[in-house]
Amino acid sequence: MMNSIIIGKYVPGHSVVHRMDPRAKLLLVFAYVLIVFLANNPIGYAFLGVYTLMIVAMSKVPVSFILRGLKPVMFIIIITFLLHIFMTKEGPLLFEWGWLSVYKGGLIQGVLISLRFLFLILITTMLTLTTTPIEVTDGMESLLNPFKKLKLPVHELALMMSISLRFIPTLMEETDKIIKAQTARGVDFSSGPVTDRLKAVVPLLVPLFIGSFKRAEELAIAMEARGYKGGEGRTKYRQLKWGSIDTIMLLLLLAVAVVLVLIRT
């Protein structure tokens, strides 16, 4: 399960999405997160779905790899779907069995909200799958550059965010190794009462935290040994270039936003 998590991983490639300016991809993700809440009917979600699938297709990341990575979050999506079905009492009654009742409004709302979660996960995952941590840092630093006038440590903030994304897969792999080691020693994570399962997590968290602090210390030592002293006076080997495809993708997203506003009910 831990190895299937793809958030934070980078898949090398030469697709259109890979070649996009990281600033454009960051802006696209931020704008998408806001725009997705404008959709409140099936037509709006259809436009969002087409745009999302277009991004996924243009990235040329294997669909099987993406679907495998969605397995860990499908539980949240399914729970959200079921909660809306059983808690929303709107529209005609579709099914009733004892205290259990399903209404048309609840079914529609459950599908739409679940799609919203799915679209958000796909778009944000596309950012990390097609953008290296260095590109994310450079793009974020460039976008936050105006805040330097407010004496904010822009470079350091961008670096911390990039490192956080980069170490998500590493921590997941470390967690998987610890689970297998604890299972080999007789710890059961999958059966028994909830209280016993929670107690079994303690021997998992302790080595995970210790390993995380150790990695952080090693990273800090390695950066100091290489002369890192923050972003002041640093130059960049790779220069960011805004291309026509970046403008086109953002304009397409803007067009989707306009359509969503026009068809809101």
Side-chain angles (χ1 to χ4, degrees):
M1 180 67 74
M2 292 296 175
N3 289 330
S4 62
I5 295 178
I6 60 177
I7 298 177
K9 292 184 179 180
Y10 171 68
V11 178
H14 301 283
S15 68
V16 175
V17 181
H18 281 83
R19 298 195 303 269
M20 284 179 63
D21 191 298
R23 294 171 295 181
K25 285 188 272 190
L26 287 168
L27 288 174
L28 189 147
V29 171
F30 295 150
Y32 189 95
V33 170
L34 298 175
I35 291 171
V36 73
F37 291 99
L38 294 176
N40 65 345
N41 55 62
I43 299 177
Y45 279 92
F47 276 95
L48 281 174
V50 170
Y51 185 85
T52 304
L53 293 177
M54 180 185 68
I55 296 291
V56 174
M58 292 173 61
S59 70
K60 295 185 179 180
V61 177
V63 177
S64 58
F65 180 78
I66 297 174
L67 293 177
R68 188 168 65 250
L70 290 176
K71 288 182 180 179
V73 297
M74 285 305 297
F75 175 76
I76 300 176
I77 296 176
I78 293 173
I79 290 296
T80 302
F81 175 71
L82 293 177
L83 285 175
H84 278 87
I85 283 184
F86 299 135
M87 301 298 291
T88 304
K89 310 295 184 181
E90 298 178 359
L93 179 64
L94 298 179
F95 173 79
E96 186 176 14
W97 184 56
W99 60 271
L100 186 63
S101 58
V102 177
Y103 290 79
K104 182 179 179 180
L107 179 61
I108 295 175
Q109 193 72 7
V111 172
L112 295 183
I113 298 300
S114 299
L115 285 176
R116 179 181 295 177
F117 271 110
L118 181 61
F119 292 161
L120 285 173
I121 293 170
L122 282 174
I123 286 295
T124 52
T125 302
M126 283 297 106
L127 172 65
T128 57
L129 288 179
T130 61
T131 315
T132 63
I134 295 177
E135 290 176 337
V136 172
T137 303
D138 291 342
M140 199 170 297
E141 183 179 357
S142 178
L143 292 176
L144 297 176
N145 201 46
F147 291 97
K148 285 184 177 179
K149 297 180 180 179
L150 301 177
K151 304 299 182 181
L152 288 178
V154 172
H155 175 79
E156 288 75 9
L157 287 174
L159 182 64
M160 285 190 295
M161 294 179 187
S162 176
I163 290 175
S164 301
L165 288 173
R166 165 61 184 83
F167 274 91
I168 289 176
T170 304
L171 291 177
M172 293 300 101
E173 292 176 2
E174 189 72 19
T175 303
D176 189 56
K177 291 179 181 178
I178 296 173
I179 290 176
K180 290 179 180 178
Q182 297 289 355
T183 303
R185 290 168 174 79
V187 180
D188 189 3
F189 294 98
S190 59
S191 63
V194 177
T195 54
D196 292 343
R197 295 187 188 184
L198 292 176
K199 291 178 181 178
V201 174
V202 176
L204 171 66
L205 294 178
V206 173
L208 182 61
F209 273 104
I210 293 175
S212 300
F213 286 126
K214 184 178 179 181
R215 288 181 183 275
E217 183 181 10
E218 291 174 349
L219 178 61
I221 294 173
M223 293 172 69
E224 289 181 359
R226 288 163 175 78
Y228 177 78
K229 296 181 180 179
E232 193 65 30
R234 290 177 63 88
T235 58
K236 299 184 182 299
Y237 175 72
R238 296 177 178 84
Q239 299 298 320
L240 301 179
K241 295 182 180 180
W242 188 281
S244 58
I245 185 63
D246 304 310
T247 304
I248 292 172
M249 297 306 297
L250 288 174
L251 289 177
L252 284 175
L253 183 59
L254 178 61
V256 172
V258 172
V259 171
L260 293 182
V261 171
L262 293 176
I263 64 175
R264 281 180 66 87
T265 58

PDB file of all heavy atoms in Angstrom, residues 37 39 45 77 80-81 84 106-120:
ATOM      1  N   PHE A  37     -14.365  24.540  -7.226  1.00  0.00           N
ATOM      2  CA  PHE A  37     -15.501  24.777  -6.334  1.00  0.00           C
ATOM      3  C   PHE A  37     -16.620  25.574  -7.015  1.00  0.00           C
ATOM      4  O   PHE A  37     -17.682  25.765  -6.423  1.00  0.00           O
ATOM      5  CB  PHE A  37     -15.027  25.502  -5.077  1.00  0.00           C
ATOM      6  CG  PHE A  37     -14.172  24.647  -4.187  1.00  0.00           C
ATOM      7  CD1 PHE A  37     -12.794  24.748  -4.222  1.00  0.00           C
ATOM      8  CD2 PHE A  37     -14.745  23.721  -3.334  1.00  0.00           C
ATOM      9  CE1 PHE A  37     -11.998  23.961  -3.409  1.00  0.00           C
ATOM     10  CE2 PHE A  37     -13.957  22.924  -2.512  1.00  0.00           C
ATOM     11  CZ  PHE A  37     -12.583  23.039  -2.554  1.00  0.00           C
ATOM     12  N   ALA A  39     -17.975  24.522  -9.780  1.00  0.00           N
ATOM     13  CA  ALA A  39     -18.848  23.519 -10.408  1.00  0.00           C
ATOM     14  C   ALA A  39     -19.898  23.054  -9.410  1.00  0.00           C
ATOM     15  O   ALA A  39     -19.566  22.655  -8.291  1.00  0.00           O
ATOM     16  CB  ALA A  39     -18.015  22.337 -10.901  1.00  0.00           C
ATOM     17  N   TYR A  45     -19.077  19.718 -14.060  1.00  0.00           N
ATOM     18  CA  TYR A  45     -18.117  18.660 -13.771  1.00  0.00           C
ATOM     19  C   TYR A  45     -17.643  17.975 -15.044  1.00  0.00           C
ATOM     20  O   TYR A  45     -16.521  17.467 -15.108  1.00  0.00           O
ATOM     21  CB  TYR A  45     -18.725  17.644 -12.807  1.00  0.00           C
ATOM     22  CG  TYR A  45     -18.668  18.090 -11.368  1.00  0.00           C
ATOM     23  CD1 TYR A  45     -19.712  18.791 -10.792  1.00  0.00           C
ATOM     24  CD2 TYR A  45     -17.556  17.820 -10.579  1.00  0.00           C
ATOM     25  CE1 TYR A  45     -19.662  19.208  -9.477  1.00  0.00           C
ATOM     26  CE2 TYR A  45     -17.496  18.227  -9.265  1.00  0.00           C
ATOM     27  CZ  TYR A  45     -18.548  18.923  -8.715  1.00  0.00           C
ATOM     28  OH  TYR A  45     -18.483  19.348  -7.404  1.00  0.00           O
ATOM     29  N   ILE A  77     -12.428   8.776  -0.796  1.00  0.00           N
ATOM     30  CA  ILE A  77     -13.442   9.121  -1.798  1.00  0.00           C
ATOM     31  C   ILE A  77     -14.707   8.292  -1.601  1.00  0.00           C
ATOM     32  O   ILE A  77     -15.831   8.818  -1.679  1.00  0.00           O
ATOM     33  CB  ILE A  77     -12.869   8.927  -3.211  1.00  0.00           C
ATOM     34  CG1 ILE A  77     -11.705   9.893  -3.451  1.00  0.00           C
ATOM     35  CG2 ILE A  77     -13.949   9.125  -4.268  1.00  0.00           C
ATOM     36  CD1 ILE A  77     -11.018   9.709  -4.785  1.00  0.00           C
ATOM     37  N   THR A  80     -16.604   9.497   1.472  1.00  0.00           N
ATOM     38  CA  THR A  80     -17.292  10.754   1.150  1.00  0.00           C
ATOM     39  C   THR A  80     -18.561  10.487   0.355  1.00  0.00           C
ATOM     40  O   THR A  80     -19.615  11.092   0.609  1.00  0.00           O
ATOM     41  CB  THR A  80     -16.357  11.671   0.347  1.00  0.00           C
ATOM     42  OG1 THR A  80     -15.169  11.909   1.104  1.00  0.00           O
ATOM     43  CG2 THR A  80     -17.028  13.003   0.034  1.00  0.00           C
ATOM     44  N   PHE A  81     -18.451   9.587  -0.610  1.00  0.00           N
ATOM     45  CA  PHE A  81     -19.615   9.227  -1.440  1.00  0.00           C
ATOM     46  C   PHE A  81     -20.740   8.636  -0.590  1.00  0.00           C
ATOM     47  O   PHE A  81     -21.904   9.042  -0.709  1.00  0.00           O
ATOM     48  CB  PHE A  81     -19.164   8.235  -2.516  1.00  0.00           C
ATOM     49  CG  PHE A  81     -20.278   7.691  -3.358  1.00  0.00           C
ATOM     50  CD1 PHE A  81     -20.931   8.493  -4.278  1.00  0.00           C
ATOM     51  CD2 PHE A  81     -20.686   6.371  -3.222  1.00  0.00           C
ATOM     52  CE1 PHE A  81     -21.968   7.992  -5.056  1.00  0.00           C
ATOM     53  CE2 PHE A  81     -21.713   5.860  -3.990  1.00  0.00           C
ATOM     54  CZ  PHE A  81     -22.355   6.677  -4.914  1.00  0.00           C
ATOM     55  N   HIS A  84     -22.549  11.233   1.749  1.00  0.00           N
ATOM     56  CA  HIS A  84     -23.512  12.090   1.055  1.00  0.00           C
ATOM     57  C   HIS A  84     -24.770  11.301   0.672  1.00  0.00           C
ATOM     58  O   HIS A  84     -25.877  11.847   0.706  1.00  0.00           O
ATOM     59  CB  HIS A  84     -22.875  12.694  -0.197  1.00  0.00           C
ATOM     60  CG  HIS A  84     -22.048  13.905   0.085  1.00  0.00           C
ATOM     61  ND1 HIS A  84     -20.720  13.829   0.443  1.00  0.00           N
ATOM     62  CD2 HIS A  84     -22.347  15.224   0.101  1.00  0.00           C
ATOM     63  CE1 HIS A  84     -20.242  15.047   0.637  1.00  0.00           C
ATOM     64  NE2 HIS A  84     -21.202  15.903   0.442  1.00  0.00           N
ATOM     65  N   GLY A 106     -29.107  13.034  -2.770  1.00  0.00           N
ATOM     66  CA  GLY A 106     -27.924  12.510  -2.089  1.00  0.00           C
ATOM     67  C   GLY A 106     -27.013  11.749  -3.025  1.00  0.00           C
ATOM     68  O   GLY A 106     -25.782  11.850  -2.937  1.00  0.00           O
ATOM     69  N   LEU A 107     -27.616  10.965  -3.937  1.00  0.00           N
ATOM     70  CA  LEU A 107     -26.819  10.211  -4.907  1.00  0.00           C
ATOM     71  C   LEU A 107     -26.049  11.145  -5.829  1.00  0.00           C
ATOM     72  O   LEU A 107     -24.842  10.961  -6.059  1.00  0.00           O
ATOM     73  CB  LEU A 107     -27.738   9.295  -5.712  1.00  0.00           C
ATOM     74  CG  LEU A 107     -27.077   8.444  -6.794  1.00  0.00           C
ATOM     75  CD1 LEU A 107     -26.052   7.499  -6.176  1.00  0.00           C
ATOM     76  CD2 LEU A 107     -28.123   7.664  -7.589  1.00  0.00           C
ATOM     77  N   ILE A 108     -26.744  12.167  -6.352  1.00  0.00           N
ATOM     78  CA  ILE A 108     -26.086  13.119  -7.258  1.00  0.00           C
ATOM     79  C   ILE A 108     -24.991  13.889  -6.527  1.00  0.00           C
ATOM     80  O   ILE A 108     -23.878  14.051  -7.037  1.00  0.00           O
ATOM     81  CB  ILE A 108     -27.124  14.084  -7.863  1.00  0.00           C
ATOM     82  CG1 ILE A 108     -28.109  13.320  -8.751  1.00  0.00           C
ATOM     83  CG2 ILE A 108     -26.428  15.190  -8.653  1.00  0.00           C
ATOM     84  CD1 ILE A 108     -29.226  14.174  -9.296  1.00  0.00           C
ATOM     85  N   GLN A 109     -25.313  14.339  -5.309  1.00  0.00           N
ATOM     86  CA  GLN A 109     -24.326  15.094  -4.542  1.00  0.00           C
ATOM     87  C   GLN A 109     -23.113  14.238  -4.213  1.00  0.00           C
ATOM     88  O   GLN A 109     -21.966  14.710  -4.261  1.00  0.00           O
ATOM     89  CB  GLN A 109     -24.978  15.611  -3.252  1.00  0.00           C
ATOM     90  CG  GLN A 109     -24.163  16.649  -2.514  1.00  0.00           C
ATOM     91  CD  GLN A 109     -24.149  17.991  -3.218  1.00  0.00           C
ATOM     92  OE1 GLN A 109     -24.857  18.172  -4.201  1.00  0.00           O
ATOM     93  NE2 GLN A 109     -23.339  18.911  -2.736  1.00  0.00           N
ATOM     94  N   GLY A 110     -23.327  12.974  -3.873  1.00  0.00           N
ATOM     95  CA  GLY A 110     -22.214  12.085  -3.565  1.00  0.00           C
ATOM     96  C   GLY A 110     -21.297  11.880  -4.754  1.00  0.00           C
ATOM     97  O   GLY A 110     -20.077  11.899  -4.624  1.00  0.00           O
ATOM     98  N   VAL A 111     -21.884  11.700  -5.935  1.00  0.00           N
ATOM     99  CA  VAL A 111     -21.082  11.511  -7.148  1.00  0.00           C
ATOM    100  C   VAL A 111     -20.279  12.770  -7.470  1.00  0.00           C
ATOM    101  O   VAL A 111     -19.078  12.704  -7.767  1.00  0.00           O
ATOM    102  CB  VAL A 111     -21.999  11.137  -8.337  1.00  0.00           C
ATOM    103  CG1 VAL A 111     -21.202  11.144  -9.637  1.00  0.00           C
ATOM    104  CG2 VAL A 111     -22.627   9.771  -8.113  1.00  0.00           C
ATOM    105  N   LEU A 112     -20.928  13.944  -7.380  1.00  0.00           N
ATOM    106  CA  LEU A 112     -20.262  15.191  -7.756  1.00  0.00           C
ATOM    107  C   LEU A 112     -19.122  15.525  -6.785  1.00  0.00           C
ATOM    108  O   LEU A 112     -18.031  15.919  -7.210  1.00  0.00           O
ATOM    109  CB  LEU A 112     -21.273  16.341  -7.806  1.00  0.00           C
ATOM    110  CG  LEU A 112     -22.367  16.231  -8.881  1.00  0.00           C
ATOM    111  CD1 LEU A 112     -23.256  17.459  -8.859  1.00  0.00           C
ATOM    112  CD2 LEU A 112     -21.762  16.032 -10.269  1.00  0.00           C
ATOM    113  N   ILE A 113     -19.366  15.383  -5.492  1.00  0.00           N
ATOM    114  CA  ILE A 113     -18.317  15.696  -4.511  1.00  0.00           C
ATOM    115  C   ILE A 113     -17.161  14.706  -4.627  1.00  0.00           C
ATOM    116  O   ILE A 113     -15.989  15.083  -4.500  1.00  0.00           O
ATOM    117  CB  ILE A 113     -18.890  15.690  -3.082  1.00  0.00           C
ATOM    118  CG1 ILE A 113     -19.971  16.769  -2.939  1.00  0.00           C
ATOM    119  CG2 ILE A 113     -17.792  15.918  -2.058  1.00  0.00           C
ATOM    120  CD1 ILE A 113     -19.467  18.173  -3.201  1.00  0.00           C
ATOM    121  N   SER A 114     -17.459  13.445  -4.869  1.00  0.00           N
ATOM    122  CA  SER A 114     -16.399  12.453  -5.054  1.00  0.00           C
ATOM    123  C   SER A 114     -15.563  12.774  -6.290  1.00  0.00           C
ATOM    124  O   SER A 114     -14.332  12.637  -6.271  1.00  0.00           O
ATOM    125  CB  SER A 114     -17.007  11.050  -5.185  1.00  0.00           C
ATOM    126  OG  SER A 114     -17.723  10.712  -4.019  1.00  0.00           O
ATOM    127  N   LEU A 115     -16.222  13.211  -7.363  1.00  0.00           N
ATOM    128  CA  LEU A 115     -15.494  13.629  -8.559  1.00  0.00           C
ATOM    129  C   LEU A 115     -14.615  14.836  -8.276  1.00  0.00           C
ATOM    130  O   LEU A 115     -13.499  14.948  -8.788  1.00  0.00           O
ATOM    131  CB  LEU A 115     -16.479  13.944  -9.689  1.00  0.00           C
ATOM    132  CG  LEU A 115     -17.126  12.756 -10.392  1.00  0.00           C
ATOM    133  CD1 LEU A 115     -18.152  13.236 -11.410  1.00  0.00           C
ATOM    134  CD2 LEU A 115     -16.081  11.892 -11.068  1.00  0.00           C
ATOM    135  N   ARG A 116     -15.109  15.754  -7.446  1.00  0.00           N
ATOM    136  CA  ARG A 116     -14.317  16.934  -7.092  1.00  0.00           C
ATOM    137  C   ARG A 116     -13.014  16.514  -6.407  1.00  0.00           C
ATOM    138  O   ARG A 116     -11.938  17.008  -6.738  1.00  0.00           O
ATOM    139  CB  ARG A 116     -15.128  17.850  -6.184  1.00  0.00           C
ATOM    140  CG  ARG A 116     -14.379  19.094  -5.738  1.00  0.00           C
ATOM    141  CD  ARG A 116     -15.236  19.949  -4.828  1.00  0.00           C
ATOM    142  NE  ARG A 116     -16.390  20.491  -5.532  1.00  0.00           N
ATOM    143  CZ  ARG A 116     -17.327  21.217  -4.943  1.00  0.00           C
ATOM    144  NH1 ARG A 116     -17.271  21.452  -3.637  1.00  0.00           N
ATOM    145  NH2 ARG A 116     -18.336  21.699  -5.651  1.00  0.00           N
ATOM    146  N   PHE A 117     -13.124  15.590  -5.443  1.00  0.00           N
ATOM    147  CA  PHE A 117     -11.929  15.086  -4.769  1.00  0.00           C
ATOM    148  C   PHE A 117     -10.986  14.416  -5.770  1.00  0.00           C
ATOM    149  O   PHE A 117      -9.765  14.616  -5.731  1.00  0.00           O
ATOM    150  CB  PHE A 117     -12.316  14.082  -3.680  1.00  0.00           C
ATOM    151  CG  PHE A 117     -12.586  14.701  -2.348  1.00  0.00           C
ATOM    152  CD1 PHE A 117     -13.866  14.742  -1.841  1.00  0.00           C
ATOM    153  CD2 PHE A 117     -11.564  15.257  -1.596  1.00  0.00           C
ATOM    154  CE1 PHE A 117     -14.133  15.316  -0.618  1.00  0.00           C
ATOM    155  CE2 PHE A 117     -11.811  15.835  -0.372  1.00  0.00           C
ATOM    156  CZ  PHE A 117     -13.101  15.866   0.131  1.00  0.00           C
ATOM    157  N   LEU A 118     -11.553  13.602  -6.651  1.00  0.00           N
ATOM    158  CA  LEU A 118     -10.745  12.875  -7.622  1.00  0.00           C
ATOM    159  C   LEU A 118     -10.007  13.825  -8.552  1.00  0.00           C
ATOM    160  O   LEU A 118      -8.808  13.653  -8.819  1.00  0.00           O
ATOM    161  CB  LEU A 118     -11.638  11.927  -8.426  1.00  0.00           C
ATOM    162  CG  LEU A 118     -10.943  11.057  -9.473  1.00  0.00           C
ATOM    163  CD1 LEU A 118      -9.923  10.138  -8.820  1.00  0.00           C
ATOM    164  CD2 LEU A 118     -11.966  10.239 -10.257  1.00  0.00           C
ATOM    165  N   PHE A 119     -10.689  14.850  -9.055  1.00  0.00           N
ATOM    166  CA  PHE A 119     -10.065  15.821  -9.952  1.00  0.00           C
ATOM    167  C   PHE A 119      -8.937  16.574  -9.244  1.00  0.00           C
ATOM    168  O   PHE A 119      -7.862  16.790  -9.825  1.00  0.00           O
ATOM    169  CB  PHE A 119     -11.107  16.812 -10.469  1.00  0.00           C
ATOM    170  CG  PHE A 119     -12.126  16.207 -11.398  1.00  0.00           C
ATOM    171  CD1 PHE A 119     -13.344  16.844 -11.636  1.00  0.00           C
ATOM    172  CD2 PHE A 119     -11.883  15.006 -12.022  1.00  0.00           C
ATOM    173  CE1 PHE A 119     -14.281  16.296 -12.497  1.00  0.00           C
ATOM    174  CE2 PHE A 119     -12.819  14.439 -12.886  1.00  0.00           C
ATOM    175  CZ  PHE A 119     -14.021  15.082 -13.110  1.00  0.00           C
ATOM    176  N   LEU A 120      -9.177  16.980  -7.997  1.00  0.00           N
ATOM    177  CA  LEU A 120      -8.147  17.698  -7.245  1.00  0.00           C
ATOM    178  C   LEU A 120      -6.912  16.836  -7.050  1.00  0.00           C
ATOM    179  O   LEU A 120      -5.775  17.305  -7.202  1.00  0.00           O
ATOM    180  CB  LEU A 120      -8.706  18.138  -5.887  1.00  0.00           C
ATOM    181  CG  LEU A 120      -9.679  19.323  -5.892  1.00  0.00           C
ATOM    182  CD1 LEU A 120     -10.268  19.518  -4.510  1.00  0.00           C
ATOM    183  CD2 LEU A 120      -8.967  20.591  -6.348  1.00  0.00           C
TER     184      LEU A 120
END
